[in-house]
Coordinates of all heavy atoms in Angstrom, one line a residue:
P74 N 5.5 0.9 -23.5 CA 6.5 1.9 -23.9 C 7.3 2.5 -22.7 O 8.5 2.8 -22.9 CB 5.7 2.9 -24.7 CG 4.5 2.2 -25.2 CD 4.1 1.3 -24.0
M84 N 17.1 -0.3 -16.4 CA 16.3 -0.9 -15.4 C 15.7 -2.2 -15.7 O 15.5 -2.5 -16.9 CB 15.2 0.1 -15.0 CG 15.8 1.4 -14.4 SD 14.5 2.3 -13.4 CE 14.3 1.2 -12.0
A95 N 3.7 -10.3 -18.3 CA 3.6 -10.3 -19.8 C 3.9 -8.9 -20.3 O 4.5 -8.8 -21.4 CB 2.1 -10.6 -20.1
A194 N 14.7 -22.5 7.3 CA 14.3 -22.7 5.9 C 15.5 -22.4 5.0 O 15.7 -23.1 4.0 CB 13.2 -21.7 5.7
E216 N 13.2 6.9 7.2 CA 13.8 6.3 8.3 C 13.1 4.9 8.7 O 13.8 4.0 9.1 CB 13.6 7.2 9.6 CG 14.5 8.5 9.5 CD 13.9 9.5 8.5 OE1 12.7 9.4 8.2 OE2 14.6 10.5 8.2
D245 N 17.0 -7.9 -1.5 CA 16.0 -7.1 -2.2 C 15.4 -6.1 -1.2 O 14.6 -6.5 -0.3 CB 15.0 -8.0 -2.8 CG 13.9 -7.3 -3.7 OD1 13.8 -6.0 -3.5 OD2 13.3 -7.9 -4.6
G247 N 13.4 -3.5 -1.7 CA 12.1 -2.9 -2.0 C 12.3 -1.5 -2.6 O 13.3 -1.1 -3.0
S256 N 5.0 20.5 -4.0 CA 5.7 21.5 -4.8 C 6.5 20.9 -5.9 O 6.5 19.6 -6.0 CB 6.6 22.3 -3.8 OG 7.8 21.5 -3.5
L277 N 25.8 -2.8 4.5 CA 25.0 -3.1 3.3 C 25.7 -2.9 2.0 O 25.5 -3.7 1.1 CB 23.7 -2.3 3.4 CG 22.7 -2.5 2.3 CD1 22.0 -3.8 2.3 CD2 21.6 -1.4 2.3
R312 N -20.2 28.8 -4.1 CA -19.0 28.2 -4.5 C -18.9 28.0 -6.0 O -19.8 27.5 -6.7 CB -18.8 26.8 -3.9 CG -17.6 26.0 -4.2 CD -16.4 26.4 -3.5 NE -16.6 26.4 -2.1 CZ -16.5 25.3 -1.3 NH1 -16.2 24.1 -1.9 NH2 -16.6 25.3 0.0
P421 N 10.9 31.6 -37.4 CA 10.7 32.6 -38.4 C 9.2 32.7 -38.9 O 8.5 31.7 -38.7 CB 11.6 32.1 -39.5 CG 11.7 30.7 -39.3 CD 11.7 30.5 -37.8
L474 N -26.8 -14.2 -22.3 CA -27.6 -14.4 -21.1 C -29.1 -14.7 -21.4 O -29.8 -15.4 -20.7 CB -27.6 -13.1 -20.2 CG -26.2 -12.8 -19.6 CD1 -26.3 -11.5 -18.7 CD2 -25.7 -13.9 -18.7

Side-chain angles (χ1 to χ4, degrees):
M84 294 201 68
E216 292 76 14
D245 184 336
S256 74
L277 178 69
R312 176 77 58 79
L474 295 180

